[in-house]
Amino acid sequence: MKRRDFMKNTAMFVAGASVSLSALELIDPQEVLAANPELRWGFLVDTHKCVGCGLCVKACKIENDIPLEANVTRTWVERYVIKKDGEVVMDSPKGALNGYTSKLLDQNKSGMREVADKDIAQAFFVPKLCNHCETPVCVQVCPVGATYQTADGAVLVDRKWCIGCGYCIMGCPYGVRFFHPIEHVADKCTFCYHRISNGGNTACAQACPFGARKIGNLRDPNDPVAKTVMGQRVGVLRDEYGTKPQVFYIGLNKEVH
Amino acid sequence: MVDQVAQVAQMIVHGEAWTLKDLFVLPNEYVYWSIQIVMYPYMTGLVAGAFVLSSLYHVFGVEKLKAIARFALVFSFALLPVAMMPLMLHLMQPLRGINVLMTPHFTSAISAFGIVFLAYAVIVAAEIWFVYRKFIVESVQRLSAKAGRNAYESLLLLIYKLISLGAMDDSKEAYAADHKAVKLLAAIGIPVACFLHGYAGFIFGSVKANALWMTPLMPVIFICSAVVSGIALCIVSYYVFMEMRKWAAKRGKNFFLPDGIAHGSAAVNYDQLKSVQDHEVKMTSKYLLIFMTLALTLEILDMIFRGYTAVKSWDILRDVLFEHDFVKIFVLQYGIGNILPFLMLLLPGVTVRRAVLASAMVLFGVFMMRWNVVIGGQAFSLTFSGFMEYHLPIIPHNIETFKEGLGGALLVFGTPFVIFYFLNMIFPAFYTDDEGH
């Protein structure tokens, strides 16, 4: 074969091969889905409806195998007491696992604190969980790619690959991550991915007696959560970090972040 | 069942053993990055600093630092494996540490650690090889010629033959080429060392969730304090090792002069050692002063800037800086660790002892700086409405409180000296020859 022919044939082969390879690229279903997602999980919290019973925390811990007595939790409820003089007193003992049954506010080392009824301007509860951010810091900082984002927006942890460095825990502006006391890897709320992917509800939303928590598909215009997020005035937590959180709150105060 | 209940009741999550919360702190917040993450930038800083000190001679030809440069290079190599130790001790899954090299996720600041670290290790190893090639060749020749070698010498001969990599050329041209290679490697090494450590600073500086850490100055501050601590450690260790050598030289205690074996003779001249020590320590402390000024300026600038711009987080940072951690920051770090040694080095008539004492204080100061950054950054809650106190586990009651306690920290700090003792047997760090590097 002449050198000229060899070059010609090589160029033809490379050109031909790249065309067929790019065809394989085109029909990758994951990429198609990512470009036109029909599903994006989002969460709606109506703080007006929350009474601080803590059933969501219990349900979550039982559903997701987080030991009840371990002082870490995938979801928790915070209590805010805003005094007439502007002072804000907050607590969340054991993440409100046992519900708020006392007026005493747990200030950890500073002990219990009681605020007299006459001094209180307003008081309310705020449930918290992973925000499954659009641009999650935890995914960015994971050195081994053990934390990842699914095509439908959930942020998950690969327990078999996590090295337990804690960078994601430090990176999360919402404090939703912790080390699982038994698995010894990073852990966090998954939106009950194992349930919602099979048509179920999240454990916390199902356990909530007042409908303060709802999971939904933000891409579906007929979805109740999507309708509320679009049609009502909702807020998100700490948007100054640029994480684009996907848990939306009705009735968010400036004291809450 | 009863056992299970007891186990559940006592379940302590990671971080709980040494964290004391005050006021409103989120349920999952603990001091997750504890003493080992203080040790990590501290040890990497020492590696980088020691290397920069040796490069001052090799690249910029600061002749006065010749003797300490060689020591600094070998010591930097002894410190190198230890820079990785705190990370391994800190990981919840240490056996998976290798995953960082297998699936590096490059958007993470930690992911490139293995690559940067290995690149740096190769450069330092190569530089040592070129610096000591003449010595290796001579040792092989000397030991081969010797009749009736003992087991020790036979082992040494084998080691030298192996690390010579068969490069036995002892012509003048070959040694001139070595000189060139050393200079080149040291020159490449400086930016890589700075990168290795600036990068440790980036790991902290890029955590946007942490109000204390997030500043672009962090890598620069880390590099400056790294050079400071590296030089200080070299001064202190050089002094201590020299004192030991002087003591050993007087009494003929050869096990304190392990390089004597490599030299082929244990005869060390006491007076010569003393003069070398005086000269090197005083010279080096001048360079320490320069880098200290730089480090201090940047740290103060950072603090002033935060106070002046006073964004949302300033209220809580002010509480941490001026109340909770006041003693640790302004007394221990800046007072004892910076200003006092600064004055000690600046006042005329510096003696060796004063310079060494000042360097030891500087070392302590840089350690406190790492502490105040790493632990101080976790001293307040993400809510800005609560605090976390860190209590270093001193007496371990399980493997976790050992690893992330005083024991683990001392283990990390002590290991380089053990490595150095053995490394010194092969690459005598105090070896001087007239035309050497």
Side-chain angles (χ1 to χ4, degrees), chain A residues 66 72-74 169 176-180 185-187, chain B residues 28 32:
Chain A
I66 312 295
V72 284
T73 178
R74 288 183 173 195
I169 301 178
V176 303
R177 285 175 167 259
F178 54 89
F179 279 124
H180 193 289
V185 290
D187 200 274
Chain B
N28 295 331
Y32 285 106

Side-chain angles (χ1 to χ4, degrees), chain B residues 17 90 109 168 204 207 214 218 254 342 346 352 382 411:
Chain B
H90 161 74
M168 300 296 288
F204 293 96
V207 177
M214 194 190 160
M218 197 63 98
N254 281 352
F342 196 83
L346 215 57
V352 173
L382 287 166
L411 182 71

Side-chain angles (χ1 to χ4, degrees), chain A residues 1-17:
Chain A
M1 194 191 287
K2 279 185 184 167
R3 184 156 39 165
R4 194 186 180 83
D5 291 336
F6 175 74
M7 297 295 276
K8 238 179 171 172
N9 289 344
T10 310
M12 226 142 80
F13 176 76
V14 170

Side-chain angles (χ1 to χ4, degrees), chain A residues 4-193:
Chain A
R4 194 186 180 83
D5 291 336
F6 175 74
M7 297 295 276
K8 238 179 171 172
N9 289 344
T10 310
M12 226 142 80
F13 176 76
V14 170
S18 52
V19 167
S20 46
L21 280 176
S22 63
L24 278 177
E25 186 74 15
L26 275 176
I27 53 164
D28 181 354
Q30 270 196 322
E31 270 188 37
V32 174
L33 187 68
N36 307 287
E38 292 166 349
L39 180 60
R40 204 311 169 191
W41 294 112
F43 205 89
L44 182 68
V45 176
D46 188 343
T47 57
H48 297 299
K49 289 180 180 166
C50 180
V51 300
C53 64
L55 286 180
C56 50
V57 183
K58 258 193 199 117
C60 169
K61 282 197 152 186
I62 293 165
E63 173 66 28
N64 294 297
D65 286 332
I66 312 295
L68 278 175
E69 285 310 304
N71 284 324
V72 284
T73 178
R74 288 183 173 195
T75 183
W76 68 96
V77 181
E78 295 169 3
R79 169 164 61 178
Y80 288 74
V81 175
I82 302 175
K83 288 169 65 183
K84 286 177 181 154
D85 62 6
E87 193 196 353
V88 190
V89 191
M90 298 153 276
D91 75 341
S92 186
K94 282 196 167 288
L97 174 74
N98 302 314
Y100 291 94
T101 51
S102 157
K103 279 187 180 173
L104 294 173
L105 286 114
D106 185 354
Q107 299 298 292
N108 289 303
K109 191 183 152 200
S110 299
M112 291 292 177
R113 178 166 172 194
E114 190 171 6
V115 181
D117 285 0
K118 65 174 173 55
D119 296 332
I120 299 174
Q122 59 167 316
F124 51 87
F125 299 101
V126 181
K128 295 256 180 99
L129 66 161
C130 173
N131 285 284
H132 293 267
C133 308
E134 196 61 55
T135 48
V137 187
C138 51
V139 173
Q140 183 189 26
V141 302
C142 178
V144 295
T147 279
Y148 58 99
Q149 193 174 29
T150 62
D152 46 8
V155 176
L156 305 174
V157 182
D158 183 347
R159 283 188 175 174
K160 290 202 173 71
W161 203 250
C162 170
I163 60 173
C165 65
Y167 205 15
C168 56
I169 301 178
M170 302 312 302
C172 175
Y174 307 97
V176 303
R177 285 175 167 259
F178 54 89
F179 279 124
H180 193 289
I182 294 162
E183 304 287 335
H184 300 296
V185 290
D187 200 274
K188 65 181 261 302
C189 157
T190 60
F191 273 170
C192 282
Y193 200 65

Side-chain angles (χ1 to χ4, degrees), chain B residues 323-343:
Chain B
E323 280 173 38
H324 288 251
D325 284 358
F326 183 84
V327 174
K328 280 181 225 148
I329 294 175
F330 291 98
V331 179
L332 298 181
Q333 181 189 330
Y334 288 122
I336 296 177
N338 274 318
I339 295 163
L340 215 57
F342 196 83
L343 293 176

Side-chain angles (χ1 to χ4, degrees), chain B residues 341-386:
Chain B
F342 196 83
L343 293 176
M344 283 166 74
L345 290 174
L346 215 57
L347 289 176
V350 168
T351 61
V352 173
R353 284 206 179 156
R354 203 208 297 173
V356 170
L357 184 65
S359 303
M361 287 159 78
V362 166
L363 263 182
F364 171 72
V366 173
F367 178 79
M368 283 316 293
M369 179 258 177
R370 308 291 191 228
W371 179 288
N372 290 330
V373 167
V374 175
I375 306 293
Q378 299 168 86
F380 55 95
S381 165
L382 287 166
T383 62
F384 295 160
S385 305

Side-chain angles (χ1 to χ4, degrees), chain B residues 251-300:
Chain B
R251 292 168 183 77
K253 305 266 190 205
N254 281 352
F255 58 93
F256 268 131
L257 303 162
D259 54 310
I261 301 154
H263 268 292
S265 78
V268 181
N269 185 325
Y270 176 83
D271 292 324
Q272 190 221 343
L273 281 183
K274 195 165 163 19
S275 80
V276 170
Q277 182 195 35
D278 285 7
H279 181 72
E280 293 294 333
V281 168
K282 283 181 190 165
M283 273 323 296
T284 315
S285 56
K286 287 192 178 144
Y287 285 89
L288 179 62
L289 212 50
I290 298 170
F291 283 103
M292 265 178 81
T293 316
L294 206 58
L296 203 60
T297 312
L298 283 168
E299 282 169 43
I300 300 288

